[in-house]
Structure formats: C-alpha cells, structure tokens
Amino acid sequence: MNEHDLHFLEHALDLARKGVGLASPNPTVGCVIVKDGAILGDGFHQYALRDHAEIVALKQAGAKARGATLYVTLEPCNHTGRTGPCTEAIIGAGISRVVAAMEDPNPKTSGAGFARLRAAGITVETGVLEAEAQKLNEAFACWITTHKPFVTLKSALTLDGQLAVPQVRGSKKHAWITSEESRAEVQRMRHASDALLTGIGTIVADNPLLTDRSGLPRRRRLLRVILDSKLRLSPKARIVETAQEDLVVFTGASVKSAKARKLREAGVELVRAKVRGGKMDLKLVLKELGKREILSVLLEAGPRLNAGALTAGVVGKCVLFYAPKIAGSGSCPFAFAPNLLLPGLHIRGIQQYGPDFAIEASLHSETS
C-alpha cells in the first residue's frame, strides 16, 4: 500500500458519493482503473443505468485494462442479480490487482467476491479507507442484513436543548432556530435519504412540506411518512396538497371514513397500523418501509416521537444542530422521556455550519 493507492481509492470514494440519491436500493460504489499512474476508466453506480461501477470503468478502459489495478469502494459482486457478476468481468478484462475499501455486507457476496478474484490469480488488498466506505454505505448494510432501514434522528436545538424558540410578539413568521447554512445541510441529508419520517404533531404545529430542496438529482422522490394514530391530518395541509405518490400515512384510525377517502383522493396512501397506548410500533413501521426497499430514514420530529424512537432502540445515529441561542423555556425539549438514558453513544464528528455546530453520534440500534 502506498500514497498512490490511497489517492486513487479516495478518488473512487468521491465518485461513489456522486451516486447518493441515484443508487438506492443498491449500495453507492465508485471504481477507478489505473495503469502506470494513469486513469484508464472510472465511474460510479446508478441504479437506473444498471451497470455497476466496475463495469462502467471497465467499459471505458477497454482492452487497456489488462494488467491494470482496479480500485473499488466495495467488494465486487460474485452473483447474478439485475446484472452478471462483476468478478467475472474483472477476471475477463485481465485486471491484475484489486484494491478495495470494504467487504460487501450482502450475504450473497460477503467475502465470496474477494475469494473468486484471488482464486483467479488476482492480487487483492482490502480494508483501505474502510471506515469512510462503511459510513457511505451504512444504510445499505443495515437494510441488507436486517431488512429494515437505517434511521438517522435529526434535530435543531437551542443551547439549552429546546426544539423551538418563542415567536416575536405579533409575528406570524416561523421562527427558525438554526442558520441558512445548517438548513442547507439538512437538505443534503434529505437528499441522501430514501424517506423522511415525522409525527402528526409536527405537521399540525408547523405545516411543513418536508421535501428534498437540495436541487441535487435523485432517482426516487423522497418518501414522506407521517405517523398519525387518529388520522388528524388535514386534506388542506401543505404536505397533502403537494402529494405525488410520495406521501404515506400510518394510522390506527379507520381507512374507510369520509376523511380517509378525501386524503386518498388527494394522493395520500393510508396504511393501517396497530396502536397501543396511543403509540405505534415503530419496528413494524420500519419493517414495512424495508419491504418497500427504503434503505434510509431521516427522522425529523418532535419530543414524543424522538423519545419513542430512542426508547425503541431503532435509531442508528443522531445529528443534532445547535444554534447559539437560549430559549429560556422548557416547553419543547429534545425528547419527552424523563427516564431515558443512552449510554455508549459514540461521537463521530463535530461540524460547524455558519454560527451553528452539529454533533453526529452513533447508537447501537436494535435490529431484531
């Protein structure tokens, strides 16, 4: 392993990031083919275009690929799915060396791709920039092994831990907690997610759109999901008025009522769900989303749903944006869970966005 290997694998990771929003429900993968220090071909996976990143790069390199090194962010597949096995294409192209960041978490491939390449006489080196590659595909790894999406809990907070600040007297404008820079980052987070999950309380209080306004390309519309046990959602809500087969409401109420009919006519999909003690089973909700090939869920909610998700152990990581403000009121805390204690959180990073800072922390989410 040398600096050149790191350089070209970093390039492969940059390519893989271009697949965010375009690769799901497949993993995001980047590939670079190099010979004598020159790039012969490179590419990233886009689900709609079918070809895996390795195939994109191999087609560019053509016959020049013989004897070259292939850098890839994820273990090449060794099974036939929508496409043939990448391992056979790599072997057929005469690649002499493969440098990969991580093993494929897909049980169909996990380790088998590397084994096939080695059996063909190809030198294989793995684990280079592995942490970066794993973070890029943490949602895919969760979904392919548990059949449930990876959940990121995002919140904007004041320094004293409040989700809302008092509005200026006489003003009807929404009082943003965080800066434009933080809100732009949230849009990028939405872009990287397959679905956004919230509770009816947030819809009633803020009347939000909850759309992906990053301006970045995506293959599927961001699925907007609302938990609404009593079906309080108004047909006049902005999120309903903008529904385009991208709004799903889980409810414990009848889906045959007049109101339910109006919501369906407006383009809302209603899913009947079990409600116990006024709360929905989040694991069952996520299981249903997993069946729909939703790999990643961004949870943007209020104190009750935040608490419910953390208590249920379904959160994979938290991203908390803190603004340099003091609310001075305890009416809207991060989570309504007096007895909740989450030991063992791992701080993954602290990033500044304008005057705000965001803390990213991972949790050991329950997968059963």
Side-chain angles (χ1 to χ4, degrees), residues 47-288:
Y47 187 87
L49 300 183
R50 300 181 70 89
D51 282 348
H52 290 186
E54 299 95 319
I55 305 304
V56 175
L58 285 170
K59 285 182 176 179
Q60 286 184 21
K64 295 179 181 179
R66 187 161 298 279
T69 296
L70 182 146
Y71 297 89
V72 66
T73 58
L74 185 70
E75 177 183 5
C77 67
N78 191 50
H79 64 278
T80 299
R82 295 173 74 230
T83 64
C86 288
T87 51
E88 299 306 318
I90 291 169
I91 294 168
I95 293 291
S96 62
R97 179 171 174 253
V98 171
V99 179
M102 65 176 284
E103 186 175 290
D104 192 340
N106 186 346
K108 291 182 179 179
T109 290
S110 190
F114 292 147
R116 176 69 184 99
L117 295 174
R118 290 187 174 111
I122 296 175
T123 300
V124 178
E125 298 180 42
T126 67
V128 184
L129 300 178
E130 184 175 22
E132 290 90 333
Q134 288 177 337
K135 183 176 180 180
L136 189 60
N137 275 310
E138 61 188 357
F140 173 76
C142 177
W143 178 76
I144 202 67
T145 55
T146 70
H147 309 295
K148 297 176 185 176
F150 184 85
V151 178
T152 297
L153 192 164
K154 166 263 160 184
S155 284
L157 303 161
T158 61
L159 290 180
D160 52 346
Q162 297 297 301
L163 294 176
V165 293
Q167 289 186 338
V168 177
R169 184 174 296 178
S171 173
K172 295 183 179 180
K173 293 184 178 181
H174 180 82
W176 293 106
I177 291 179
T178 51
S179 63
E180 290 185 10
E181 293 88 344
S182 291
R183 299 200 295 275
E185 176 60 21
V186 170
Q187 291 301 323
R188 286 189 286 270
M189 292 175 66
R190 289 182 181 181
H191 171 71
S193 304
D194 290 334
L196 190 153
L197 175 64
T198 194
I200 186 60
T202 296
I203 302 299
V204 172
D206 300 335
N207 195 23
L209 287 172
L210 300 180
T211 53
D212 172 6
R213 298 187 292 279
S214 66
L216 298 171
R218 62 183 305 138
R219 187 181 72 85
R220 300 187 288 183
R221 294 179 67 89
L222 177 68
L223 184 68
R224 298 175 291 175
V225 182
I226 302 172
L227 303 187
D228 184 2
S229 61
K230 298 181 180 179
L231 203 59
R232 297 162 56 200
L233 180 63
S234 169
K236 296 182 179 180
R238 292 203 301 164
I239 198 168
V240 174
E241 292 177 341
T242 57
Q244 297 184 39
E245 298 184 348
D246 61 349
L247 180 57
V248 178
V249 175
F250 286 85
T251 183
S254 171
V255 295
K256 297 181 179 180
S257 65
K259 184 175 186 179
R261 185 173 61 255
K262 287 184 179 180
L263 289 171
R264 281 196 299 270
E265 290 172 351
V268 180
E269 180 184 355
L270 300 177
V271 179
R272 192 74 186 273
K274 292 183 179 180
V275 177
R276 296 178 180 175
K279 299 180 180 179
M280 291 185 185
D281 189 327
L282 285 172
K283 292 181 181 179
L284 291 180
V285 169
L286 293 174
K287 184 176 181 180
E288 172 60 27

Side-chain angles (χ1 to χ4, degrees), residues 333-357:
F334 167 65
F336 280 133
N339 299 318
L340 177 64
L341 178 63
L342 297 173
L345 275 73
H346 173 67
I347 302 298
R348 300 170 65 170
I350 301 176
Q351 183 71 40
Q352 186 163 0
Y353 298 98
D356 312 326
F357 67 93

Side-chain angles (χ1 to χ4, degrees), residues 317-339:
K317 71 177 179 182
C318 292
V319 180
L320 306 180
F321 291 82
Y322 284 91
K325 299 176 181 178
I326 301 294
S329 170
S331 60
C332 195
F334 167 65
F336 280 133
N339 299 318

